[in-house]
Amino acid sequence: MTTVIDGKKAAASVIEAVTKAATDLEKDTGRRPGLAVVLVGTDPASQTYVASKSRMAKECGFTSVQHTLPEETTQEALLALVAELNADPSVHGVLVQLPLPKHLDSEKVIQSILPEKDVDGLHVVNAGKLATGDSDTGLVSCTPAGAMILVRSIHGRDLSGLNALVIGRSNLFGKPMAQLLLAANATVTIAHSRSRDLPALARNADILVAAVGRPEMVKADWVKPGATVIDVGINRIAAPERGEGRTRLVGDVAFPECAAVAGAISPVPGGVGPMTIAMLMANTVIAAYRAEGKPAPKF
């Protein structure tokens, strides 16, 4: 029987631990973890994401601050706000919602966040710490951190002797995911659009992680029987069976056919997605503990 990995259940477990850690910190120091989220413009998807992050922060017992700026906000004004949040001791995590309006330089904004408050884990200092194996002072990008918890739910913390393939080499997901798998002693291959014979590479993987943004690209004959498949893709495709103009969400993995071969598989939706916001909360509480000079909890 294939195990369908329940991302909602795993995320709920992380949130429970985060909430307890936040309560303990407040009892111990009188200070709550503080998360500041910055939204520029009126992109509907971004508004939804920001609202859910702010709501979850409050549920975890954090101080939740949201800054909503107009579409025409200048680079200078946005950087000035980030500088204010960097200097505010009640704010432990700073998140600038992406994508930003086209006239703004996203990379410059992300790199202006203090690494110790970069709860998205995108600063080059945090990327470098992950690459060099420093898990004690860096912050890990939320989606790969969440995906790794799902991998551990099947295989445990030590992946010695297992082959892992990450399809996708983005700075946001592919590279940090590969580093996390490597740190857990897996033998790791990163595949991408220039890789030769991708299905053959995939068939050798005990752990197959797909993150390329191509709907249902991974087919059943790519999957090694019994492998663990982690689907990070979120793609909206036409669903005429639901009515004219209707759509549905699918991952990068053809779920029904791959589920028949895999030993464990994460669905879309309901797999990696819920873990991303849970790990954002985990990073915020970790940052708060470090700021207060306390040993940070592990998730």
Side-chain angles (χ1 to χ4, degrees):
M1 282 290 291
T2 301
T3 299
V4 177
I5 302 169
D6 189 341
K8 290 180 181 176
K9 185 178 177 182
S13 177
V14 171
I15 292 298
E16 185 181 346
V18 165
T19 304
K20 182 184 184 304
T23 302
D24 291 347
L25 184 69
E26 189 173 10
K27 281 180 187 170
D28 195 23
T29 67
R31 196 183 284 282
R32 286 182 168 199
L35 176 64
V37 182
V38 180
L39 173 64
V40 184
T42 56
D43 177 72
S46 292
Q47 287 177 326
T48 301
Y49 291 143
V50 165
S52 64
K53 289 168 184 174
S54 297
R55 186 170 60 250
M56 185 63 78
K58 287 172 186 166
E59 287 177 16
C60 289
F62 297 179
T63 299
S64 177
V65 182
Q66 184 177 325
H67 294 270
T68 304
L69 305 178
E71 185 89 19
E72 61 274 12
T73 297
T74 65
Q75 184 89 10
E76 292 72 26
L78 181 53
L79 290 172
L81 174 58
V82 171
E84 275 180 40
L85 298 172
N86 281 340
D88 186 342
S90 71
V91 172
H92 301 102
V94 178
L95 184 150
V96 178
Q97 182 65 42
L98 302 176
L100 289 172
K102 287 188 168 53
H103 68 281
L104 297 172
D105 184 337
S106 299
E107 191 60 21
K108 199 168 274 186
V109 173
I110 296 303
Q111 301 308 325
S112 73
I113 299 169
L114 285 177
E116 57 267 32
K117 294 191 178 189
D118 164 43
V119 286
D120 250 346
L122 301 179
H123 196 284
V124 291
V125 168
N126 285 322
K129 286 180 175 182
L130 177 60
T132 54
D134 177 1
S135 59
D136 295 325
T137 66
L139 292 166
V140 179
S141 183
C142 302
T143 303
M148 196 64 195
I149 285 180
L150 299 187
V151 170
R152 291 207 305 256
S153 73
I154 302 298
H155 296 282
R157 288 186 171 270
D158 188 2
L159 306 181
S160 296
L162 297 176
N163 292 322
L165 175 70
V166 180
I167 307 175
R169 55 178 169 179
S170 69
N171 291 332
L172 188 65
F173 183 86
K175 290 174 185 174
M177 186 71 210
Q179 297 289 353
L180 289 169
L181 290 162
L182 196 59
N185 301 320
T187 301
V188 184
T189 302
I190 302 177
H192 45 80
S193 59
R194 301 293 177 89
S195 298
R196 186 176 296 171
D197 200 354
L198 192 49
L201 289 173
R203 281 191 288 271
N204 192 46
D206 302 297
I207 300 167
L208 174 59
V209 184
V212 286
R214 290 179 59 186
E216 301 179 322
M217 181 184 80
V218 176
K219 306 298 184 188
D221 63 356
W222 292 33
V223 177
K224 180 180 181 178
T228 296
V229 180
I230 305 293
D231 190 350
V232 188
I234 300 178
N235 310 286
R236 195 166 284 283
I237 64 169
E241 72 279 4
R242 296 184 175 183
E244 192 176 342
R246 301 297 296 274
T247 61
R248 63 187 176 94
L249 283 179
V250 298
D252 291 349
V253 175
F255 182 85
E257 61 178 87
C258 290
V261 183
I265 187 168
S266 70
V268 176
V272 174
M275 295 303 298
T276 300
I277 195 164
M279 297 317 294
L280 172 65
M281 301 303 131
N283 275 349
T284 303
V285 93
I286 288 167
Y289 268 72
R290 289 175 180 167
E292 297 303 314
K294 302 285 181 184
K298 293 190 183 295
F299 297 97

